[in-house]
Amino acid sequence: MKKLSVRLKGEMKVPGDKSISHRAVMLGSIAHGKTVIDGLLTGDDCISTIDCFRKLGVEIHLDGDHVEINGKGLEGLQEPNQVLNVGNSGTTIRLMLGILSSLPFHTTVIGDDSIAKRPMGRVTIPLKEMGAKIDGREEGKFTPLAIRGGGLKGIDYISSVASAQVKSAILLAGLFANGNTSVSEPEASRDHTERMLQEFGGFVETDGLKKSIRGKQTLKGANINVPGDISSAAFFLVAGSIIPDSEIRIKNVGMNPTRTGILDILTKMGADIMIHNENDKVMEPYADITVRYSNLKGVEISGDIIPRLIDEIPILALAATQAEGVTVIKDAEELKVKETNRIDTVVNELRKLGANIEATEDGMKIYGKSNLHGAEVNSHGDHRIGMMLAIASCLASGDTHIQNSEAITISYPGFFEQLEELKK
Ligand code: S3P
């Protein structure tokens, strides 16, 4: 029997932006003086960052989403007597490798089973070129990694991938290196590191897709307000668009233009999205967003918009199952090296629910519109797959059981509680 989906209605706030939260803790830890952060994401990934910097001797006080850091500069960091464990967090390991490469002592870095499969050569190769000594599995291309840094020299690096993690690792190493460092990427990736470095008194130059940083800079502590994470809001933007009769207002969502590809694509699909109370006079712009149910149509998602919505592709794939016509996602091979191979996990899990979806070399094709039905599905430990499946289950007839749904706390503690609240 067809279960009627429960409409979602109400006003909500999503937790702090994950990318900005990591960077605030890291820059606060290597700056001189006090850093105060409000609205920090307290998901498992950011707690891993805090834990690593505490092991490096940084005093970090966490009270709810309020953080105070007593920064003593890069020189204040101490050789840890324990392994640094990044858990599931790719941003923690890649950005931290940039900082560890400047430290004249030994550190060892590990992560969970997913991190062990993710490519680290994309950061360890340029960092070794700058002079860091990094060893590890497959010549430093995979964890566990051992680093002995210090005495770096600036390089001009051309990255073959549009990755903010690669760009940020190199810029952070360049901050303390001798001479200038630059990194160029094929398309623009998120620019939170560049924006935040300025907030801490640092200086990064932008020339199109090339970012340059002068070495031997000193950062000063800062006050940082973290806006809501648009990648978390994305689950509710899609839920509101595909569940009949829904209307959701999400307050204080980060609107950095390098992250708003989801809004462009949903609008192109015919979603009913309104943006209010925009504030773009701050380091990271934010706004309130209202979404209402509407009829969607299939679109092509490809080219330079991909880095602007890379983390939203799983939930956009679900939106496409409810859109009239075909949605083609191209140029997204980076999905294969995320927390899971997100081409495979999205296709396999959505198929279990009855979606008409196929994997391609660099993305997927989705044929809408499908009636989804309940099934036994699995997040495979990937937070964004878990949340996409939870939204899919609101629409599917019958019961859906999500295995490994606890992974959602990696980026969104309180997700299920907020979802239930919107059903009331
Ligand atoms: C992130 C960058 C992106 C993104 C990840 C967070 C960041 O990864 O997928 O969730 O905070 O810099 P890549 O830099 O590998 O594209």
Side-chain angles (χ1 to χ4, degrees):
M1 213 181 67
K2 174 103 181 79
K3 172 187 82 178
L4 282 179
S5 48
V6 184
R7 94 280 175 284
L8 302 180
K9 270 199 196 311
E11 191 173 285
M12 65 184 298
K13 236 177 127 177
V14 292
D17 186 276
K18 183 154 81 68
S19 294
I20 299 174
S21 296
H22 283 301
R23 286 157 173 83
V25 172
M26 290 189 192
L27 295 193
S29 296
I30 57 173
H32 286 271
K34 190 164 174 173
T35 287
V36 178
I37 310 167
D38 281 296
L40 186 102
L41 170 67
T42 53
D44 303 346
D45 268 10
C46 297
I47 299 300
S48 295
T49 294
I50 291 177
D51 184 54
C52 289
F53 281 86
R54 280 183 175 152
K55 285 187 178 141
L56 287 159
V58 184
E59 236 181 86
I60 305 177
H61 303 278
L62 177 66
D63 179 8
D65 65 2
H66 176 86
V67 184
E68 296 192 9
I69 305 177
N70 284 324
K72 298 202 175 83
L74 187 78
E75 324 72 86
L77 303 189
Q78 294 154 18
E79 185 167 60
N81 59 6
Q82 293 172 64
V83 164
L84 305 178
N85 189 342
V86 303
N88 188 249
S89 178
T91 306
T92 309
I93 189 164
R94 295 205 178 104
L95 269 61
M96 192 172 65
L97 280 168
I99 295 172
L100 298 178
S101 292
S102 295
L103 296 171
F105 51 68
H106 169 82
T107 46
T108 313
V109 187
I110 59 162
D112 68 7
D113 293 348
S114 156
I115 283 291
K117 292 191 197 123
R118 299 184 67 183
M120 294 301 142
R122 52 177 62 192
V123 292
T124 57
I125 290 169
L127 293 173
K128 284 202 243 183
E129 210 178 307
M130 293 177 81
K133 294 188 180 64
I134 304 178
D135 206 352
R137 194 158 47 93
E138 296 192 25
E139 296 173 343
K141 293 201 183 74
F142 294 94
T143 57
L145 294 168
I147 302 101
R148 189 173 287 278
L152 302 185
K153 60 173 193 318
I155 57 168
D156 294 307
Y157 193 71
I158 297 178
S159 172
S160 59
V161 280
S163 160
Q165 295 178 355
V166 171
K167 174 179 64 178
S168 302
I170 297 170
L171 290 176
L172 290 173
L175 186 61
F176 303 110
N178 285 307
N180 289 320
T181 297
S182 73
V183 49
S184 306
E185 47 184 358
E187 276 131 20
S189 64
R190 63 192 67 191
D191 65 356
H192 304 298
T193 303
E194 297 91 302
R195 285 174 188 248
M196 202 177 287
L197 274 167
Q198 324 251 14
E199 204 69 13
F200 280 80
F203 182 70
V204 185
E205 206 180 308
T206 297
D207 177 10
L209 295 171
K210 180 174 173 182
K211 307 281 168 131
S212 310
I213 194 162
R214 190 169 28 81
K216 303 285 177 203
Q217 296 193 45
T218 305
L219 302 182
K220 293 189 304 288
N223 292 337
I224 303 291
N225 281 310
V226 183
D229 197 328
I230 192 166
S231 298
S232 298
F235 297 98
F236 292 98
L237 292 173
V238 169
S241 299
I242 63 176
I243 300 174
D245 200 27
S246 295
E247 177 168 347
I248 309 170
R249 185 178 177 115
I250 315 175
K251 299 190 71 169
N252 190 33
V253 182
M255 292 289 284
N256 179 317
T258 60
R259 297 282 301 281
T260 48
I262 172 88
L263 299 177
D264 299 352
I265 290 297
L266 282 176
T267 304
K268 197 167 144 196
M269 292 176 86
D272 180 352
I273 287 178
M274 269 169 40
I275 295 166
H276 339 246
N277 299 333
E278 208 161 357
N279 182 351
D280 55 9
K281 305 263 174 309
V282 283
M283 170 191 71
E284 290 285 356
Y286 58 87
D288 299 344
I289 308 177
T290 302
V291 60
R292 289 191 199 90
Y293 171 75
S294 61
N295 290 313
L296 302 184
K297 58 178 192 299
V299 294
E300 178 174 315
I301 310 174
S302 61
D304 60 7
I305 200 165
I306 295 292
R308 295 179 55 229
L309 48 66
I310 188 74
D311 292 341
E312 288 67 76
I313 290 178
I315 191 68
L316 278 172
L318 173 66
T321 70
Q322 302 308 304
E324 219 54 73
V326 189
T327 294
V328 182
I329 302 173
K330 285 190 203 164
D331 306 319
E333 42 291 82
E334 273 296 299
L335 290 174
K336 295 179 184 169
V337 290
K338 295 295 176 189
E339 284 82 334
T340 55
N341 175 335
R342 285 186 178 157
I343 295 182
D344 289 352
T345 43
V346 166
V347 168
N348 295 339
E349 298 309 311
L350 277 177
R351 268 196 188 153
K352 291 180 190 168
L353 295 168
N356 188 352
I357 178 168
E358 64 195 41
T360 61
E361 234 344 274
D362 61 350
M364 49 194 104
K365 270 193 192 153
I366 303 126
Y367 304 86
K369 152 176 192 172
S370 301
N371 286 327
L372 302 184
H373 55 72
E376 183 81 20
V377 289
N378 197 331
S379 80
H380 297 276
D382 185 331
H383 52 127
R384 298 199 200 281
I385 300 295
M387 288 185 274
M388 180 274 282
L389 293 170
I391 301 298
S393 76
C394 296
L395 207 61
S397 60
D399 291 335
T400 296
H401 176 242
I402 309 170
Q403 288 171 25
N404 298 310
S405 63
E406 69 288 346
I408 289 172
T409 59
I410 286 167
S411 66
Y412 203 148
F415 171 82
F416 283 112
E417 290 80 352
Q418 284 190 323
L419 182 57
E420 286 313 306
E421 209 43 50
L422 293 172
K423 288 181 183 170
K424 284 182 187 161

